[in-house]
């Protein structure tokens, strides 16, 4: 996931995710190579996040699916830190301590909690 935020005062924020196994090395490269070479103001990171996605072709047919996703997470008090969408997928970054709760809430919101026949 890569997100570029609105520029202010000639500076732009970039947010992105990397696999947990690559986190420490990525942070090191950013702080010790990218930051000095680009004149960036700072590098921040958070190793205690997770990405949860809803995927499906039905997403193309209606605008309501992101609203249902966001409402389900909001009802559980789960803060969305980052969002990215495409025609068939919405991914959110949340605090990792809410991962199981988020998945359960989304399964319920999209009627996926039924036992297999």
């Amino acid at each position: 996931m890569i997100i570029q935020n609105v520029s202010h005062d000639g500076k732009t924020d970039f947010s992105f995710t990397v696999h947990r196994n690559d986190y420490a090395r990525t942070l090191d490269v950013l702080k010790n190579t990218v930051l000095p070479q680009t004149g960036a103001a700072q590098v921040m990171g958070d190793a205690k996040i997770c990405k949860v996605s809803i995927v499906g072709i039905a997403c193309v047919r209606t605008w309501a699916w992101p609203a249902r996703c966001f409402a389900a997470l909001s009802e559980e008090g789960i803060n969305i830190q980052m969002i990215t969408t495409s025609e068939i997928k919405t991914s959110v970054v949340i605090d990792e301590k809410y991962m199981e709760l988020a998945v359960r809430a989304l399964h319920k919101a999209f009627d996926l909690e039924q036992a297999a026949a």
Side-chain angles (χ1 to χ4, degrees), residues 50-106:
C50 68
K51 185 170 26 175
V52 178
S53 300
I54 56 172
V55 181
I57 194 67
C59 299
V60 176
R61 295 186 211 132
T62 177
W63 58 268
W65 60 272
R68 192 185 310 176
C69 169
F70 304 149
L73 297 176
S74 176
E75 287 171 11
E76 295 296 339
I78 300 171
N79 181 52
I80 298 172
Q81 298 178 23
M82 296 169 59
I83 303 167
T84 187
T85 64
S86 72
E87 290 81 11
I88 63 166
K89 179 172 77 168
T90 291
S91 296
V92 296
V93 171
I94 60 172
D95 189 309
E96 71 178 359
K97 70 183 177 184
Y98 296 116
M99 179 178 63
E100 186 174 338
L101 178 60
V103 171
R104 289 181 189 277
L106 291 171

